[in-house]
Amino acid sequence: MNTTFILAVGLAVLSLASGMLGLGVAFAAVPFLGYFLHDLVREVQPLSLTLNGITALFALLGFARSGLVEWRPAIALAVVTTLFAPLGAWIALHVDARWLWALYFVAVAYLAWRMFQPERKSETETERQPNLKMALLVAAPIAVAAGMRGLGPGLLLMPNLIVPGLGPTHAAATHSPVCTPA
């Protein structure tokens, strides 16, 4: 079977699945592309970031049309992550790929752990006033780590929006403008 066809179908399926989860496709595209492409930093990461930006843009359009984006924190987070992600990409050029793969898998494990933290039950999602200060505090290091891994910042930022009280739908909507440029 043609490798290009397998890549296209695989990335389409991963894009659909990650979009349903409210995450960019990069977290799933990196290991998938890594199976087919040999240079993590110069092939896999740029392609995965491009795909991530495109899928985040389409998610942003839908979320914005639905009125789900919390624009003030989204813009602040987008500015911080857009400024710091290139630093991580530069660092990745000087780090052994094995360390980058290890960082990737640690980040995925962290995401899984944070996503399964108990949800706050005190108020309904529309009545909550989430405290997003922690998300703003960790945005710069998350962006550097995201740049090193060739991922958008959403993989680690998403749980840092949910845990302080933003519901999963609003967290996905708010982080979509953050992942589009980064």
Side-chain angles (χ1 to χ4, degrees):
M1 194 174 261
N2 185 345
T3 303
T4 304
F5 177 76
I6 293 170
L7 278 169
V9 169
L11 290 171
V13 169
L14 291 173
S15 295
L16 180 64
S18 63
M20 291 170 52
L21 293 171
L23 297 171
V25 70
F27 87 97
V30 166
F32 179 73
L33 290 169
Y35 181 78
F36 294 98
L37 304 173
H38 302 292
D39 190 338
L40 175 66
V41 175
R42 290 175 182 83
E43 293 177 327
V44 173
Q45 290 180 342
L47 183 54
S48 100
L49 282 171
T50 301
L51 294 170
N52 201 64
I54 292 167
T55 58
L57 177 61
F58 282 106
L60 170 60
L61 295 173
F63 286 134
R65 191 175 28 231
S66 300
L68 295 171
V69 178
E70 302 286 337
W71 285 105
R72 183 172 283 153
I75 290 169
L77 291 167
V79 168
V80 171
T81 58
T82 301
L83 291 174
F84 282 90
L87 175 61
W90 178 80
I91 292 170
L93 293 171
H94 306 288
V95 174
D96 187 302
R98 291 175 292 191
W99 286 102
L100 297 174
W101 280 113
L103 181 60
Y104 167 81
F105 288 113
V106 166
V108 170
Y110 173 76
L111 172 68
W113 176 75
R114 288 298 297 258
M115 294 296 279
F116 287 104
Q117 295 300 304
E119 184 179 347
R120 292 182 179 183
K121 304 276 184 189
S122 61
E123 304 166 20
T124 66
E125 185 174 320
T126 56
E127 295 172 344
R128 278 189 199 148
Q129 292 301 318
N131 181 358
L132 298 175
K133 290 177 187 172
M134 180 56 100
L136 282 169
L137 288 173
V138 298
I142 283 174
V144 171
M148 286 178 64
R149 294 183 329 264
L151 304 174
L155 180 70
L156 294 176
L157 194 55
M158 181 74 163
N160 284 299
L161 292 171
I162 291 174
V163 171
L166 202 58
T169 303
H170 281 92
T174 300
H175 103 282
S176 61
V178 176
C179 294
T180 301

